[in-house]
Amino acid sequence: MPKYMTKQRKTLLVYLSQHADEKLSARQIEAALSGEGISISAVYRNLSELEKEGRIRRVNQNGSREVFYQYSDSEHCKERLHLSCEKCGKTFHMNMDSTRLLERDLALHDEFVIDKTSTVLYGVCGECRVKK
């Protein structure tokens, strides 16, 4: 059950929803919201609660020991698998048809069901492949 919606919590949720395709550390969030009077301890406290509620997810990034967070509360986000570029760090939603096809094939051939809320596929996006 969601906690009371404080001004800080609402500000944090709005910011995260506006940056839904980004992985952000607590320090990055605190820096971005510094003008809103939100302390780093309030950021951590709210991130923990939002994670428990399933509104954000904790993401580890290759080559970093820092923890990152990503907004995942939109219906659009919940129904899709996430693709994360190892070069630029951007996160994308897998095409819905591709998601359904992968889910169906895994269920049929491997008797396996994917948890879309916590599954991230890593690789290199089209922009980064072109840059080489």
Side-chain angles (χ1 to χ4, degrees), residues 58-70:
R58 185 185 295 242
V59 180
N60 293 320
Q61 194 152 312
N62 289 343
S64 176
R65 292 172 50 168
E66 190 168 16
V67 174
F68 294 85
Y69 300 89
Q70 188 167 18

Side-chain angles (χ1 to χ4, degrees), residues 20-21 23 57 59 70-72 74-85 90-107 112-123:
D21 290 334
K23 297 175 212 141
R57 60 191 179 93
V59 180
Q70 188 167 18
Y71 183 77
S72 61
S74 72
E75 288 306 312
H76 176 73
C77 192
K78 289 179 180 179
E79 291 301 313
R80 298 186 183 214
L81 290 172
H82 293 89
L83 308 173
S84 182
C85 181
K90 287 183 184 174
T91 300
F92 306 89
H93 291 106
M94 180 184 272
N95 172 288
M96 192 59 127
D97 291 336
S98 298
T99 298
R100 287 187 186 124
L101 183 63
L102 180 60
E103 285 181 299
R104 189 197 73 208
D105 284 353
L106 283 172
F112 190 82
V113 177
I114 298 172
D115 175 2
K116 290 183 280 197
T117 61
S118 63
T119 301
V120 179
L121 301 175
Y122 293 92

